[in-house]
Amino acid sequence: MKEMGRRIMRTASLMAVAALVGGIFAPAVEVAAQQPQQQVPPAAPALQWDPNDPRIGLGAGWLDAESAISGLELLAAIPRPDGFFNPSTPADGRFSNTDLAFRGDLLIQGNYNGFQIYDISTPSDPTLSLSVVCPGGQGDVSVYGDLIVMSAQETRGRLDCGVEGVADSISAERMRGVRIFDVSDWDNPVQVAAVQSCRGSHTHTVVTDPQDSENIYVYIQGTSGVRPGEELPGCVGGDPEENENTALFRIEVVKVPLDNPGAAEIVNMPRIFADDTGNIGGLWQGGDHGPGTQSSRRTNQCHDITAFPDIGLAGGACSGNGILLDITDPANPTRIGEVSDPNFAYWHSATFNNEGTVVVFTDEWGGGSAPRCRASDPATWGANAIFRIGEGGDMQLAGYYKLPVPQTDTENCVAHNGSIIPVPGRDIMAQAWYQGGVSLMDFTDPENAFEIAFFDRGPLSVESLFTGGYWSVYWYNGRLYGAEISRGIDVFRLTPSEHLSESEIRAAESVSFDQFNAQLQPQVTWAPSVDVAQAYLDQMVRANRILNARAAQVQNVLNGGASAAQMAGVASALEADAARIRAGELGGDADRMTKLAGVLRQLAMQ
Amino acid sequence: MPKTSRFLAVSLAVAAGACSGGSVAVPSSAPSPSSSGPRIVQPGAPGQASRVYAPEEIDAVEGLAWTDADVRFMQGMIPHHAQALDMTALVRLHATTDAVRQMGLRMEISQRDEIGLMEAWLRERGQPVQMPGMHAMHGGHMMPGMLSPEQMENLSNARGVDFDRLFLQYMIQHHEGAISMVRELFSSSGAAQESTVFKFAEDVDADQTMEIERMQGILATLR
């Protein structure tokens, strides 16, 4: 927070928060006094905020709530289409918007009742192309080429995508698992596979093998109770101590042959929580971490996994643990690291920085339907925890980040899904906080993450808490797309601010992909450009980490008209500065100077 | 992918005097003679044909809503949770063990939030938050696992580690009752098909199962 500088604490609020947190979560003083030998961890810190933050006190409404915005421009707000909302009940859980996926000019919006396909060739004017009816929740979607993968979790899910549900508690018509649709004709999605699994599919992750272009893999993350074996043979529940064949304590790996996706099937059910002794339930055993800490269920599931095939790793957010998986053999993921955290209630999702050296885990304290961003809620609970990734998958906690403004009692709010905004030289994540809105987190310095932009609407209602707000916010080809649970789709672009320059924005907007799934993270590389060079320069000037004279010299060549020799000369000067910095003779940012010099040399050759 | 004819969409929307949020679209290859809404497709099971909904069939897309069993489950769980709050209020007064105090206060937060969720769900659907004929805490109907008036009396009068022990024993009984209510819901024909009820019932099952294990663990230390 140090870079925000002007954060002001309201003393009265702080005292109230401290009293509440202390009163509820910390042991009473006299008890602690009776047990002097007991170590009491420091109480979770209270939230701090700027009392003048425009997000405080926004008026309520469904499609007419007040809003506040900073560092962003709202380009479009598209309500959910007919058939995918209940006019009399805005928060009807059967029609919640869920996750997003992108392919070419298309945006795929998951929904508990199916999914939508929007044409985003003009990002400021998304146009509904097709609605697909297929209830079953959560309806998280991924796209790979001409295939859409969708999660089905609920007992109402039907093999035939019917809306009538499944009345019988045991039925061959029920579908819980992942559906695969062939969309080679985008107007006529055809369900080619329905892969059933014992706990259904709450989320899933498409995983690719850089060595194998003929198959993709889908990891199924089931979080429900285990289905009866009468409905799906082989499904049995229970702890490993009672039943070593339990369908808990695993994920399912589906292999999808791209030339015959109808043959998709489960090829592995890896016990990724096993310890060295062979106990398949070897990670977090359930409970809290001592007085004043959070409590988590035993780790018998992953809520979500983010694969990053370019670095051979996946991050798993798994009940009471964050884990790292080696996915170089995607059919056989193996755990190489794990952490737990006294501030985390439910490990929910993972996002890597672009280098793969840092991973952000989110904590969905309260499950997403509870208000967990109130002034009284600790700043490290329901937050992001940011870890540095060391040798061999060792993860070290660097810091926390939580939406830095309190929300009301009627706004469900907690850390949720996001993705990286590809500004060269910085680690920035756009993130959904349900009714807490959208927050852009800079975690370039993982110990000191801070907010650089936001958008927030007032609550759906001031009388009752109706579940709503942003499910996910993802960057795709130059714009941010927000999936709003009850309000539809919002599109944003970045605007320059003290935290982000025009060149940094243009450099991010220059990155383009054919498709994007947040849980299949791509590694970004930037083509050399004046914007990329200017972005590095802007960052060093902003942080006062370059000599003024050198900065002026770089700016001069970036302003245009410089010869190749001049550019190369400035690059050499930067490299010389970097060498002196590394030798301790000069202050400054040697890494960025080296990167900037590299871009200048490439520009000189063009 | 065929491009949407945006000019056509706009002119139609204007002609009809309608604007559904600025997202009206007319696919160029609509199979039905529909001209006033986006195409809506329901894929079939693998190997089966898809169904195309005509615009006038839009209401059919909504599908099932909720059943009486769902409403009864929510109505029944409110007094069940309310009694848990009565029990955790006593924890504030009488608990002597840290672990019990923490447990009770955690439950207080989650059960209070869940009561809010259940009441909102019922109100949104125009259903009474109280089961007809049920007088919440005064005997009459008792949901599974709820403490009898005598048991509540015993708990109110207990002190010291006896209180801690009794609270845990009674709360285990109380939680087991809630889990049996979930089981009954899932075994009722057509029940728990509504998304919020499904999620809530699964959460009660998972959370309270874990809490029972935790309480049994604490109980074993109170000898």
Side-chain angles (χ1 to χ4, degrees):
Chain A
M1 292 294 167
K2 68 182 181 188
E3 302 193 38
M4 292 297 271
R6 58 194 176 85
R7 301 222 159 265
I8 301 162
M9 178 81 61
R10 285 196 294 199
T11 312
S13 302
L14 175 62
M15 289 167 61
V17 168
L20 186 58
V21 172
I24 291 181
F25 298 108
V29 172
E30 64 272 21
V31 175
Q34 287 162 10
Q35 300 169 326
Q37 76 284 6
Q38 187 175 23
Q39 281 204 334
V40 180
L47 190 72
Q48 301 179 30
W49 66 92
D50 174 357
N52 298 315
D53 192 307
R55 287 170 283 189
I56 297 169
L58 293 171
W62 177 15
L63 298 177
D64 57 353
E66 286 181 358
S67 65
I69 194 162
S70 174
L72 295 170
E73 180 187 349
L74 180 62
L75 300 175
I78 309 292
R80 290 173 295 174
D82 287 348
F84 292 84
F85 71 97
N86 179 348
S88 66
T89 311
D92 191 325
R94 296 173 297 153
F95 305 106
S96 294
N97 266 350
T98 60
D99 219 2
L100 298 168
F102 303 86
R103 166 100 184 137
D105 285 338
L106 300 177
L107 174 154
I108 301 143
Q109 166 70 72
N111 181 287
Y112 271 72
N113 205 38
F115 59 89
Q116 325 290 334
I117 298 176
Y118 288 87
D119 180 341
I120 53 167
S121 49
T122 305
S124 58
D125 183 22
T127 310
L128 183 63
S129 297
L130 181 69
S131 290
V132 176
V133 178
C134 194
Q138 293 191 125
D140 278 7
V141 284
S142 296
V143 62
Y144 192 89
D146 290 338
L147 300 177
I148 287 178
V149 184
M150 182 185 196
S151 285
Q153 174 178 19
E154 299 171 331
T155 47
R156 68 168 166 154
R158 294 181 58 86
L159 267 178
D160 62 7
C161 289
V163 299
E164 62 269 43
V166 185
D168 296 342
S169 54
I170 308 284
S171 171
E173 296 174 341
R174 179 170 285 122
M175 165 56 200
R176 303 176 73 189
V178 290
R179 305 177 187 274
I180 300 175
F181 299 95
D182 182 329
V183 284
S184 31
D185 175 358
W186 282 92
D187 275 344
N188 290 291
V190 176
Q191 187 174 205
V192 292
V195 182
Q196 303 264 12
S197 57
C198 291
R199 302 178 81 180
S201 172
H202 186 66
T203 69
H204 67 264
T205 304
V206 172
V207 186
T208 54
D209 181 349
Q211 316 300 323
D212 175 6
S213 58
E214 290 173 7
N215 300 284
I216 59 169
Y217 297 84
V218 178
Y219 294 175
I220 299 179
Q221 285 88 239
T223 60
S224 282
V226 177
R227 295 163 75 171
E230 294 85 348
E231 183 167 279
L232 187 60
C235 294
V236 286
D239 283 341
E241 293 75 14
E242 302 152 16
N243 177 5
E244 62 179 16
N245 294 317
T246 178
L248 307 174
F249 302 92
R250 72 185 193 200
I251 59 171
E252 288 91 11
V253 178
V254 178
K255 183 176 185 177
V256 185
L258 291 173
D259 63 355
N260 182 20
E265 60 175 354
I266 293 174
V267 294
N268 194 8
M269 298 180 289
R271 298 294 193 181
I272 56 175
F273 312 130
D275 64 16
D276 292 340
T277 70
N279 175 6
I280 61 173
L283 295 186
W284 186 248
Q285 296 299 304
D288 61 29
H289 301 250
T293 62
Q294 280 286 25
S295 177
S296 306
R297 297 176 197 159
R298 187 175 182 183
T299 299
N300 71 15
Q301 58 181 263
C302 285
H303 175 274
D304 212 343
I305 291 175
T306 294
F308 199 167
D310 294 321
I311 60 170
L313 290 180
C318 309
S319 190
N321 294 97
I323 66 173
L324 279 183
L325 298 170
D326 179 333
I327 55 163
T328 47
D329 176 4
N332 293 289
T334 53
R335 194 181 81 249
I336 59 168
E338 69 278 335
V339 284
S340 63
D341 191 282
N343 293 294
F344 264 42
Y346 187 60
W347 294 70
H348 175 273
S349 51
T351 305
F352 293 91
N353 71 341
N354 191 53
E355 299 283 315
T357 54
V358 174
V359 59
V360 177
F361 285 105
T362 63
D363 169 27
E364 200 187 37
W365 173 35
S369 53
R372 291 291 179 260
C373 305
R374 298 161 299 185
S376 55
D377 295 321
T380 51
W381 289 25
N384 300 337
I386 305 167
F387 292 83
R388 291 182 184 276
I389 303 172
E391 284 299 306
D394 174 60
M395 287 180 279
Q396 292 295 328
L397 179 67
Y400 297 92
Y401 174 86
K402 189 171 185 183
L403 182 73
V405 65
Q407 302 288 306
T408 63
D409 290 346
T410 59
E411 289 170 285
N412 56 307
C413 177
V414 75
H416 214 235
N417 293 356
S419 77
I420 296 298
I421 298 178
V423 174
R426 294 174 71 177
D427 293 327
I428 297 173
M429 177 175 165
Q431 189 176 11
W433 289 80
Y434 288 105
Q435 289 200 62
V438 175
S439 178
L440 271 56
M441 169 183 77
D442 182 315
F443 64 107
T444 312
D445 175 3
E447 278 78 13
N448 296 287
F450 66 102
E451 183 177 63
I452 62 166
F454 62 77
F455 176 75
D456 185 25
R457 291 193 180 94
L460 285 165
S461 158
V462 289
E463 282 97 36
S464 283
L465 192 161
F466 296 122
T467 300
Y470 290 99
W471 184 281
S472 38
V473 177
Y474 299 141
W475 178 268
Y476 180 64
N477 293 353
R479 295 291 179 266
L480 280 169
Y481 295 87
E484 234 276 5
I485 290 170
S486 62
R487 291 171 175 136
I489 291 168
D490 294 318
V491 188
F492 303 90
R493 71 179 187 88
L494 299 171
T495 59
S497 71
E498 58 178 315
H499 301 300
L500 204 58
S501 71
E502 285 185 37
S503 292
E504 288 178 297
I505 293 170
R506 279 201 297 269
E509 288 175 350
S510 71
V511 175
S512 170
F513 291 106
D514 296 339
Q515 63 186 21
F516 179 78
N517 300 293
Q519 291 79 22
L520 176 57
Q521 193 170 333
Q523 192 157 40
V524 173
T525 52
W526 292 266
S529 71
V530 171
D531 283 331
V532 172
Q534 184 75 52
Y536 288 131
L537 179 61
D538 291 347
Q539 290 158 15
M540 287 187 283
V541 170
R542 185 186 295 123
N544 197 17
R545 300 274 284 162
I546 185 171
L547 294 170
N548 288 340
R550 189 76 67 226
Q553 211 178 1
V554 176
Q555 190 62 65
N556 195 39
V557 299
L558 292 179
N559 285 345
S563 68
Q566 283 171 313
M567 281 206 187
V570 173
S572 296
L574 284 165
E575 283 157 357
D577 289 349
R580 288 182 62 200
I581 293 165
R582 292 197 174 102
E585 298 165 15
L586 188 69
D589 187 338
D591 288 346
R592 275 198 186 79
M593 279 177 206
T594 307
K595 284 180 184 167
L596 174 54
V599 176
L600 290 177
R601 287 197 185 285
Q602 287 172 294
L603 289 175
M605 287 189 288
Q606 285 176 0
Chain B
M1 194 222 50
K3 289 282 182 223
T4 300
S5 168
R6 202 163 280 126
F7 292 113
L8 179 59
V10 169
S11 61
L12 281 168
V14 170
C19 177
S20 62
S23 61
V24 177
V26 182
S28 56
S29 63
S32 67
S34 81
S35 58
S36 63
R39 180 176 161 83
I40 302 177
V41 174
Q42 179 182 300
Q48 304 293 312
S50 298
R51 167 183 174 181
V52 177
Y53 285 85
E56 59 271 20
E57 295 177 297
I58 194 72
D59 288 347
V61 173
E62 283 199 15
L64 61 91
W66 69 89
T67 64
D68 289 347
D70 295 331
V71 172
R72 280 200 306 276
F73 173 77
M74 296 299 237
Q75 287 172 335
M77 196 61 91
I78 290 173
H80 197 273
H81 273 44
Q83 189 185 59
L85 292 183
D86 289 346
M87 295 168 72
T88 57
L90 294 171
V91 167
R92 281 181 174 275
L93 295 174
H94 304 312
T96 63
T97 314
D98 255 7
V100 171
R101 191 193 312 272
Q102 297 266 335
M103 195 83 211
L105 296 175
R106 255 186 241 294
M107 283 176 191
E108 188 172 288
I109 294 169
S110 63
Q111 305 250 329
R112 191 187 292 130
D113 282 349
E114 288 177 357
I115 288 174
L117 180 147
M118 290 184 278
E119 289 181 345
W121 187 89
L122 289 163
R123 283 204 192 97
E124 272 183 298
R125 285 154 187 80
Q127 301 295 315
V129 297
Q130 226 177 57
M131 205 178 278
M134 180 175 214
H135 304 292
M137 303 310 296
H138 305 290
H141 282 81
M142 287 265 288
M143 302 311 295
M146 282 179 70
L147 307 199
S148 67
E150 295 74 31
Q151 287 179 312
M152 272 308 280
E153 182 83 14
N154 292 344
L155 187 61
S156 305
N157 294 332
R159 293 293 180 273
V161 74
D162 287 345
F163 171 86
D164 296 352
R165 208 176 282 125
L166 204 55
F167 171 79
L168 293 171
Q169 286 164 352
Y170 283 168
M171 193 57 94
I172 289 170
Q173 162 196 324
H174 196 266
H175 273 25
E176 283 170 344
I179 290 167
S180 77
M181 287 168 70
V182 172
R183 300 257 151 85
E184 192 191 322
L185 176 78
F186 277 116
S187 64
S188 308
S189 178
Q193 301 269 293
E194 197 278 336
S195 296
T196 304
V197 174
F198 172 80
K199 179 177 191 295
F200 172 62
E202 284 218 312
D203 284 347
V204 168
D205 190 29
D207 287 338
Q208 301 205 8
T209 299
M210 181 195 81
E211 286 175 356
I212 288 172
E213 285 176 20
R214 179 91 180 109
M215 287 190 284
Q216 283 166 338
I218 300 169
L219 200 51
T221 68
L222 298 182
R223 295 298 171 216

